[in-house]
Every structure is written in structure tokens, then in C-alpha cells.
Amino acid sequence: DGIVVRAGEETGLLRGAAPQQQHMVPADGDRVAVRTLHIEDAPRFGWRGAMLDSARHIQSVDEIKRLLDAMALLKLNMFHWHLTDDQGWRIEIPEYPKLIEVGSCRIPAGDAGIDPATGKPAPYCGYFTQDQIRDVVAYAAARHIEVMPEFDVPGHAVAAIASYPQLGVTGKPLPVSNEWGVNSNLFNIEEDTYRFFEDVLGEMVKLFPGRYVHIGGDEAVKDQWIASQRVQQQMKAQGAKNEMAMQGLLVARLEKFLAAHGKRMLGWDEILEARLPESATVMSWRGTEGGLEAAKQGHDVVMVPSSVLYFDYLQTHSNSEPPGRPSLIEMQKVYAFDPVPDALPADKRQHILGLQANLWTEHTRSFARAQHNLFPRLAAVAETGWTPKARKDYAGFLARLPAQLARWRAQGVEYART
């Protein structure tokens, strides 16, 4: 018999239903039975994501589209786009042109920041126009992928402060950062700065029609706030008992603004350290503990623990691995991760939306390196996102992987050969 396999509708299907037989009469008069199989399938998690950091090192629109193609092949449906950080501002905001004129360029540290032909500074620059962003968003939507932008506050703010020094705590000019790691410069909490936040988010909600906007909230060292009399006066005026409570008030104000525009706010797990709006979603990166606590409190959670799902970490011991964070996350560890903690009560498990792999690009200077770091480990993330826990099998995954590698070769995906 010929077997015709087709996707069924989500409703009206019966598990275990017998195949339907139809008879077709070919030109020679023989009758041929054709069996039509109805396949009922659905993902375990609604959030199956990948994050790309375009702030440290930027990619072209065509490269991002190639990543979206590869994500679609794996049925990944969330693209988290990290567009602002200390080292670069990558999104055009017409009301604030210096974000592009100043914030999108840095002078790299060391020899990389010097033009060998002239001895002059060699800036590293790049940004996405609003038309380019619309193009990427439409391309993703056609592949059933939602794009979530990230505008990080109150830390990871140097590129914005370099563009408009009045946004910072000291008010002093500073260059766009050319160093990795955590930077101590924060946005201030003046009303004009809040207006800047809302102006930027107002542009984002128009450009990104998806459900979520990420406001960061991570690694905001409060030393500048503590040392500033003006910030301390503002905290007192706004009713904040301490610096973390002040960040909580900032988060709550941005959540209210986004909710008024039909969006849900998402932030890194540090936002749990202050009172959190009920509708806020938490992205748990410092392990799964933050996600566990958030879900217990009734918040939705996306699990992205850095010890398992940060793909700038090396994936093998091979000397041929490109530069990365000096720790190892092998594919088997990625595959073994389950986003739902055993300690989470059954009545709270619906708050675990899913999981996401994050690719930070301090060491990922090229798209070839990005693909090397993402693939094939991203396939392990995709299988966890789709497959029921009881049916996961690493040996079966490895047996099926060669066929996937062949698809990637045909698609031009430069997966890791190490």
C-alpha cells in the first residue's frame, strides 16, 4: 500500500483511530489501496526559544534570517533578540539619533581597535534600521516564530549613557564600553530618564507585534545609586526603602506601561529580589532556583540556566573549539535538562512556559562561530521543548542526529564538527 502522511487539524482527531482506506483506480484498471494516516502531535512546552546577542557582536539581516530558517526546521518558536548593552546599541530610535550616531560604535580594546594601515582608531559599528527590524519580524512570523526584543535596564546601560550622558548617574561623558563583564554604570531614576525608557519601549511595541518585551534587570550593581545623593533623594521621594526596592518600582512602572500597550513584561531572575507585578514573567538564568520561586509565587517562567543553556560555553574538550567561556556544556548535559524542577508543586507546573538557549557573543565574533556554538546543541533544546519527558531517549536522539546533520548541510548550517 502507498502511505500518505499528512498533518491533521488540532481538533476532531481520535488517538489510535484506524487508518482510513480509499481506493484509487489507475489507468490500467487495477485497484490500489491508499492508507491515510492522521498524526496527532503537539509540543510539551509553548516556549521553545533561542536568544541571540547582537549587542556585543552584530550579525547581518541575512544571517539572522538563516538562523530563523534553522530554528523553524527544529520547530523553535521564540527568538529573543538582545539589542542593547554596554558595548553597543543596535536598534534605531528616531527620536534619539545619538543612540545610533554614538551608541552603535565602540573602539575595540587592544590591536583590534587600531587600523594597521593608518594607525588610527578602528571603530566597530552596526545597528538595525526600523525597516530591517520589520523585515526580520515578518520573516520570523512567516515561519511561526515570535520575536521578543530586549531593552536592558537599569544596568547594561553604557551605550545609551555614552549617547546621552544625562541618562547616567554621574552625568559625565563616557565612551561605549569595549570591555566584557559587569559594568557599574546605571541609568538614573529621574523623570526624564523614565520618559526615555517609555519612548524606547513605545517604539519597540510598534516594531514587535509579539506578546512579550524583555526589560533585562540583571547585573545592576547599585554602587552608583548608593553613592549618589540625588538618587537617594529620588528614592525617598518615590518611596523606595533601598536600592533593590527602587529597581522594583522601576520594573513595576515599565510593566504598567507595557501592559497598557497590550504587552507582557519579562525580565531576568534578579527582578524577583523586589516586589514583582503579578503579570511579570521571569527568565531564570542563575540556575533554576529563581524559576522555582517565581512559579511558586504564581509567575510564568522560562528556564535558561547558564550552567546548561548558555551556548557560548565550550561544548567539547577539542583543541579545535573556537574561543568561548572556559567551561564545558556538552550536548548530553543539554539533552538531560528538564525545565520543570522536581520540587515544584504539581499545581504550579503550568507556570513553566518552557526553555531557551542563550548565545552571548563576547567571544562569538562571526556568524560561523555563532552557528558552531548553537548547533547541534540547539537540536537537543528543541527535542526537550517538544517531546514528553517519558519519551526522551538520548541514544535515540543520537541515532536520529545524522539525518538532521544532512539537512543542515543542505541548508548551509555550519554546525560544530568538533
Side-chain angles (χ1 to χ4, degrees):
D1 293 343
I3 303 297
V4 179
V5 182
R6 69 187 185 195
E9 299 294 332
E10 291 186 359
T11 57
L13 299 183
L14 298 176
R15 290 187 180 275
Q20 299 175 0
Q21 282 203 2
Q22 298 173 336
H23 288 87
M24 301 176 63
V25 182
D28 60 8
D30 294 334
R31 297 177 68 84
V32 178
V34 177
R35 294 177 181 267
T36 301
L37 302 182
H38 292 275
I39 297 176
E40 183 178 356
D41 195 16
R44 180 185 176 197
F45 295 106
W47 191 298
R48 305 177 306 283
M51 187 221 75
L52 180 64
D53 170 15
S54 292
R56 275 53 176 261
H57 286 99
I58 194 169
Q59 306 78 31
S60 71
V61 169
D62 286 344
E63 288 168 343
I64 291 172
K65 287 180 177 180
R66 287 166 61 190
L67 174 58
L68 292 169
D69 286 337
M71 289 177 61
L73 190 65
L74 295 173
K75 297 183 182 178
L76 297 174
N77 67 341
M78 294 297 298
F79 177 52
H80 173 180
W81 204 357
H82 187 78
L83 291 166
T84 74
D85 216 297
D86 296 314
Q87 297 81 13
W89 184 279
R90 305 298 180 204
I91 176 173
E92 179 188 22
I93 306 294
E95 189 175 349
Y96 297 92
K98 288 184 180 180
L99 292 172
I100 297 308
E101 296 167 5
V102 177
S104 71
C105 292
R106 67 172 181 266
I107 304 298
D111 291 343
I114 301 173
D115 185 336
T118 65
K120 295 181 179 180
Y124 179 91
C125 303
Y127 68 94
F128 299 100
T129 67
Q130 292 203 355
D131 284 344
Q132 287 175 321
I133 288 173
R134 292 186 190 96
D135 183 26
V136 168
V137 169
Y139 193 88
R143 286 150 184 79
H144 309 285
I145 297 171
E146 179 177 328
V147 183
M148 176 182 67
E150 182 180 352
F151 168 33
D152 211 335
V153 300
H156 293 281
V158 173
I161 296 171
S163 305
Y164 295 95
Q166 66 269 27
L167 298 174
V169 173
T170 68
K172 297 178 180 178
L174 73 166
V176 176
S177 179
N178 62 7
E179 298 179 352
W180 314 136
V182 179
N183 194 288
S184 62
N185 285 281
L186 299 185
F187 287 112
N188 64 46
I189 51 174
E190 305 284 341
E191 188 61 31
D192 285 348
T193 302
Y194 280 124
R195 189 174 301 112
F196 168 77
F197 296 157
E198 293 176 355
D199 288 342
V200 171
L201 292 173
E203 291 294 312
M204 285 186 165
V205 299
K206 290 186 290 185
L207 289 168
F208 297 92
R211 297 162 290 173
Y212 294 90
V213 174
H214 202 303
I215 56 88
D218 63 313
E219 299 179 326
V221 179
K222 304 298 190 298
D223 292 351
Q224 284 191 338
W225 282 6
I226 292 171
S228 169
Q229 285 189 346
R230 187 167 180 81
V231 169
Q232 292 297 315
Q233 291 170 355
Q234 286 288 336
M235 285 173 50
K236 185 176 180 180
Q238 295 180 44
K241 295 181 179 180
N242 54 46
E243 289 72 28
M244 200 62 222
M246 185 63 243
Q247 179 168 322
L249 292 177
L250 168 59
V251 167
R253 178 161 172 174
L254 298 185
E255 187 277 337
K256 185 177 181 180
F257 176 86
L258 289 170
H261 288 80
K263 304 293 185 181
R264 295 196 64 178
M265 187 203 75
L266 195 148
W268 302 107
D269 57 56
E270 284 95 330
I271 65 175
L272 278 168
E273 295 172 20
R275 185 176 180 180
L276 197 57
E278 291 183 6
S279 67
T281 300
V282 173
M283 191 165 271
S284 186
W285 74 277
R286 296 179 298 177
T288 58
E289 294 79 10
L292 176 62
E293 179 59 30
K296 285 181 177 179
Q297 293 181 21
H299 298 288
D300 287 344
V301 174
V302 180
M303 288 295 192
V304 296
S306 60
S307 60
V308 184
L309 295 177
Y310 272 31
F311 282 6
D312 49 323
Y313 284 71
L314 303 177
Q315 57 193 309
T316 73
H317 289 291
S318 170
N319 292 330
S320 298
E321 289 289 348
R325 298 195 193 195
S327 188
L328 188 68
I329 298 179
E330 295 173 308
M331 188 162 61
Q332 186 168 4
K333 184 177 182 180
V334 176
Y335 190 88
F337 173 71
D338 191 82
V340 182
D342 291 336
L344 186 62
D347 64 342
K348 300 294 185 182
R349 295 190 173 189
Q350 76 276 8
H351 287 297
I352 306 299
L353 301 181
L355 73 167
Q356 175 177 290
N358 288 351
L359 180 57
W360 304 102
T361 59
E362 289 94 335
H363 303 287
T364 308
R365 297 181 180 180
S366 68
F367 188 61
R369 283 188 185 177
Q371 293 177 93
H372 178 101
N373 291 342
L374 286 168
F375 304 100
R377 288 184 291 186
L378 200 55
V381 173
E383 185 146 308
T384 298
W386 194 277
T387 304
K389 183 178 181 179
R391 294 192 59 191
K392 287 184 65 181
D393 171 36
Y394 189 60
F397 173 80
L398 291 181
R400 287 176 280 111
L401 189 58
Q404 183 62 36
L405 299 182
R407 296 185 190 102
W408 281 333
R409 288 194 296 272
Q411 197 178 26
V413 174
E414 299 175 33
Y415 60 86
R417 307 298 176 103
T418 47

